[in-house]
Every structure is written in C-alpha cells, then in structure tokens.
Amino acid sequence: AQSVTQLDSHVSVSEGTPVLLRCNYSSSYSPSLFWYVQHPNKGLQLLLKYTSAATLVKGINGFEAEFKKSETSFHLTKPSAHMSDAAEYFCVVTRASGSARQLTFGSGTQLTVLP
Amino acid sequence: DAGVIQSPRHEVTEMGQEVTLRCKPISGHNSLFWYRQTMMRGLELLIYFNNNVPIDDSGMPEDRFSAKMPNASFSTLKIQPSEPRDSAVYFCASSLGDRGTGSTDTQYFGPGTRLTVL
C-alpha cells in the first residue's frame, strides 16, 4: 500500500524568492518518486524523479528535490521563483519495480508567483 | 517531435450522446495511458496499453467506457452513452519503457480534452 500527501494546496511566493512545495509519502515498498508540473490548459510534464540513486535529484528549470527516507518526504525546492513557474505541481509515488497501475498522484499544489 | 496529440481539445455534448476522444502517442513509444482529471478525484488512471495491447483496464469506471489501440500511432477512448458526471479533462500519455509498462518510466502527457456533458 502507498499514499502521497501534498501538504499545501496553494503556495504563494514573490518572484525571486525561494520555492518550497512539500510532499510526504508512505509506502510498504521501496518507493520511486516524481514531481510533475501542469501549466494552465497543458498536460503534465516531468520535472524530476527519484529511483533509488542519488537522494538529491536535480530537475529541469532549476528545481530539485531531496529524498529523505527517515522523514518520508520528497519536498520540491527552487532557489528563486520566476513568473513562469506559476502552475500546479503534482508529487507522485510508485513502487520502484511495479507497474504503471501503481502510480499514486498527489492532490496537487497550486503555485502562485507574485511580481 | 510534436509530442502527444489529442483531439478534440474541447467537447461539449448532451447526455446520452456518444463521445470519442482521440490520441496520437509520441512516435516510437510503446506504452499509452488514458487518465481522467476532476477537481473531486484528482488524476485517475483509466487504462493503459503496451505494444497496442490493453494491460490494465481496472480504472475504467463502467461499461459505458471503452478504449482501443488499433495500431502504434492511434488510440481512442469512447463513452457511450455519456452522462454529466463524465465531465472532466481526459489526458493521454505515452512512454518508452524497456520493461514495458514500468512504473518508473517517464510519461509524456498530451494537452488533454476538456469534456462537458450537459
């Protein structure tokens, strides 16, 4: 069994300030974790993924996430927000050696970037 | 590459009508997924195919929903008859997996079809 919780449904930051989107997971198995981004009226796009290699994962557009097994967390960060980062972000957990049916999507975090 | 292509982008229909959503995956990808996104339930996997064969349709809500993949470059999701509760955004995604439908394969999503059933 597995689940994923995105702790904030909405996050608002000013342009140029750091971004932190929080994700906690639970899994009976060795997990793999993803962050996807969805811009308005667009499909989801992969930002980064953790698949049991390095615990600090760097993704596109300056985002990174750190897998912390002791805290069962996979928070997404970016040092400096840009207006184009405004979107909805989804944390996804799956079993590392499972099938696509085992992907579990979080409920999403809407990121607003203020000028 | 054009990415995953879906049509139509928007569909408005009346209850009881048949609706067909179309998807063209990225060339060379061997897995295709249909998702539904609603405010209440979030993103749900309906069905997925590997090498044109349906692998898991346990997410299809009921018999009114059916999906086909006649060849590697085309898939349809059909709802017949449609109901207002089917209103949602339907996404198609594809992936290239060396292990078939591996859970860690990156999925590439299309822009979605926004379906409204009146």
Side-chain angles (χ1 to χ4, degrees):
Chain A
Q2 63 191 22
S3 65
V4 59
T5 302
Q6 292 184 241
L7 297 167
D8 306 294
S9 58
H10 291 86
V11 170
S12 184
V13 301
S14 297
E15 189 175 21
T17 64
V19 176
L20 170 64
L21 305 183
R22 298 183 294 165
C23 172
N24 284 102
Y25 71 91
S26 68
S27 177
S28 303
Y29 314 106
S30 177
S32 289
L33 294 141
F34 307 74
W35 277 100
Y36 278 86
V37 61
Q38 184 179 23
H39 287 94
N41 301 313
K42 297 287 180 63
L44 279 70
Q45 178 186 18
L46 182 70
L47 277 178
L48 49 82
K49 64 178 173 180
Y50 165 78
T51 56
S52 76
T55 56
L56 182 61
V57 183
K58 294 187 183 299
I60 61 172
N61 301 335
F63 284 94
E64 63 180 38
E66 186 171 8
F67 173 70
K68 292 187 176 180
K69 186 176 181 179
S70 60
E71 299 177 10
T72 62
S73 69
F74 190 59
H75 301 335
L76 181 70
T77 61
K78 182 174 180 177
S80 176
H82 190 273
M83 296 298 289
S84 61
D85 295 329
E88 188 155 23
Y89 292 78
F90 294 91
C91 183
V92 184
V93 65
T94 187
R95 183 176 180 177
S97 58
S99 75
R101 171 58 59 189
Q102 292 170 301
L103 288 162
T104 300
F105 286 78
S107 55
T109 297
Q110 185 68 46
L111 176 65
T112 299
V113 181
L114 304 171
Chain B
D1 197 319
V4 175
I5 299 173
Q6 291 187 247
S7 65
R9 293 294 309 276
H10 301 272
E11 176 81 32
V12 180
T13 190
E14 292 189 346
M15 182 174 62
Q17 297 298 305
E18 177 180 296
V19 175
T20 299
L21 311 181
R22 297 173 176 79
C23 175
K24 177 179 170 56
I26 292 173
S27 177
H29 281 190
N30 57 3
S31 295
L32 183 139
F33 308 82
W34 282 102
Y35 289 89
R36 178 172 68 177
Q37 185 180 41
T38 61
M39 290 292 290
M40 291 297 293
R41 300 173 68 91
L43 202 64
E44 303 172 278
L45 177 63
L46 300 177
I47 184 172
Y48 65 92
F49 297 81
N50 180 244
N51 294 324
N52 312 338
V53 176
I55 301 300
D56 186 334
D57 65 356
S58 60
M60 296 286 261
E62 47 197 278
D63 292 345
R64 298 184 296 107
F65 286 69
S66 62
K68 295 182 180 180
M69 192 165 186
N71 57 62
S73 60
F74 184 66
S75 177
T76 60
L77 177 68
K78 184 177 293 186
I79 308 172
Q80 166 64 19
S82 58
E83 297 182 2
R85 59 191 169 122
D86 301 330
S87 298
V89 180
Y90 290 82
F91 289 102
C92 175
S94 69
S95 70
L96 175 62
D98 58 3
R99 294 179 292 116
T101 52
S103 61
T104 58
D105 299 330
T106 299
Q107 295 186 23
Y108 296 82
F109 284 74
T113 296
R114 183 173 296 276
L115 173 65
T116 302
V117 183
L118 303 174

